[in-house]
């Protein structure tokens, strides 16, 4: 067991963990559904902070755009459309309360126990690597790829060589910015899942419109169901950025 | 034992379990969907942590996170539309009172 090092990284980690987990507990614990929806904001923002902390800048931006900008707004729309927003007098949880609490504890203990017994998988690529002791008790594999390995990196994983070689001196093997490489990987190696995701979004958009519109009776004008469609609009626009 | 990788995994486990509990316990259908969003976020956090600590030179995990976010957006739109339909049909989104298939 090592001493807790109060580096900036660890302080940020603790603060983000507190924000995220307190938000999540409030989401499940608060009586008012609209308050629960608003408590989702610190959770999503905290996750975006984790992404930034771990070096995934693009994902942090996407998290803010989609989760906070679209899904959260969509959820708040749904809450206000389906109930009186400030009404809190009815019971919020069903009778499963205590069993669920026990099951949650058991699940956490089981997963943590399994994780502690699991040997973490070695990186798939056989780069020239050496084991160096790290500040959290174990060893970390550091990579110093040779020229042939760099070429393999470019051939097999389609990461441009000039990106793979530009590594941060403090964290070897981690590119300074992975955003350009992510674009390359997404549109070459993962082009088919990317396109399938587009079709899924289109299907979801059409499905949401079809499901949410009122069945129009005779004599009813188109203006009456315009308000139903507005709830879907933010998600669609942001998702397709 | 402040182990960054294990810490982040622990945070994501707790987040996942809280989301699952919300999905099971909350009576409001919209609140149950919020639980699903929490679980998806926990999974995404796991992906990013694995990318950062295990395979920093491969970007598969980030692509997976992007696809999960896409699916989450589509799921939220369709799920909330379904809930809106339920509300029109039953006048409530209380999952205890929507028991059409329970007899």
């Amino acid at each position: 067991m090592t001493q807790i090092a109060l580096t900036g990284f660890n302080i940020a980690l603790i603060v983000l963990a507190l924000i995220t987990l307190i938000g999540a507990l409030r989401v499940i614990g608060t009586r008012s559904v609209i308050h629960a929806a608003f408590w989702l904001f610190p959770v999503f923002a905290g996750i975006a902070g984790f992404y930034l902390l771990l070096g995934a800048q693009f994902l942090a931006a996407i998290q803010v755009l989609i989760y906070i900008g679209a899904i959260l707004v969509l959820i708040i729309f749904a809450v206000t459309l389906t109930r009186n927003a400030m009404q809190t007098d009815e019971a919020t949880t069903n009778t499963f309360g205590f069993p669920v609490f026990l099951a949650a504890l058991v699940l956490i203990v089981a997963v943590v126990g399994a994780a502690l017994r699991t040997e973490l998988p070695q990186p798939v690529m056989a780069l020239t690597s050496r084991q160096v002791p790290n500040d959290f008790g174990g060893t970390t594999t550091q990579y110093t790829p040779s020229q042939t390995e760099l070429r393999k990196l470019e051939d097999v994983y389609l990461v441009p060589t000039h990106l793979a070689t530009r590594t941060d001196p403090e964290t070897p093997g981690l590119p300074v910015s992975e955003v350009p490489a992510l674009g390359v990987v997404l549109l070459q190696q993962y082009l088919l899942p990317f396109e399938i995701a587009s079709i899924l979004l289109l299907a979801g958009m059409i499905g949401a419109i079809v499901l949410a519109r009122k069945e129009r009776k005779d004599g009813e004008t188109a203006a009456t169901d315009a308000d139903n469609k507005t709830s879907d609009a933010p998600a669609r626009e942001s998702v397709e950025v | 034992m402040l182990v960054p990788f294990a810490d982040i995994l622990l945070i994501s486990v707790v987040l996942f379990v809280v989301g699952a509990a919300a999905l099971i316990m909350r009576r409001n259908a919209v609140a149950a969907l919020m639980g699903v969003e929490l679980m998806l976020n926990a999974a995404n956090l796991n992906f990013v942590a694995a990318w950062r600590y295990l395979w920093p030179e491969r970007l598969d995990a980030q692509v997976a996170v992007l696809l999960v976010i896409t699916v989450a957006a589509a799921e939220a739109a369709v799920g909330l539309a379904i809930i809106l339909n339920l509300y029109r049909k039953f006048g409530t989104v209380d999952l205890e009172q929507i028991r059409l298939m329970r007899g």
Side-chain angles (χ1 to χ4, degrees), chain A residues 131-214:
Chain A
Q131 299 287 323
V132 293
N134 54 27
D135 57 348
F136 34 97
T139 56
T140 300
T141 311
Q142 278 194 355
Y143 305 104
T144 44
S146 67
Q147 281 302 315
T148 46
E149 283 162 345
L150 276 179
R151 217 166 297 123
K152 183 181 165 197
L153 191 68
E154 195 168 33
D155 289 346
V156 179
Y157 299 108
L158 301 162
V159 177
T161 310
H162 67 281
L163 290 172
T165 48
R166 267 177 46 211
T167 54
D168 189 342
E170 296 204 345
T171 54
L174 185 69
V176 172
S177 168
E178 83 296 344
V179 179
L182 179 63
V184 172
V185 171
L186 190 62
L187 288 182
Q188 288 184 3
Q189 189 182 0
Y190 288 100
L191 182 62
L192 185 62
F194 180 78
E195 296 295 345
I196 292 176
S198 317
I199 295 175
L200 175 74
L201 269 183
L202 181 66
M205 183 175 94
I206 296 172
I209 293 175
V210 169
L211 282 172
R213 67 186 290 162
K214 279 181 192 148

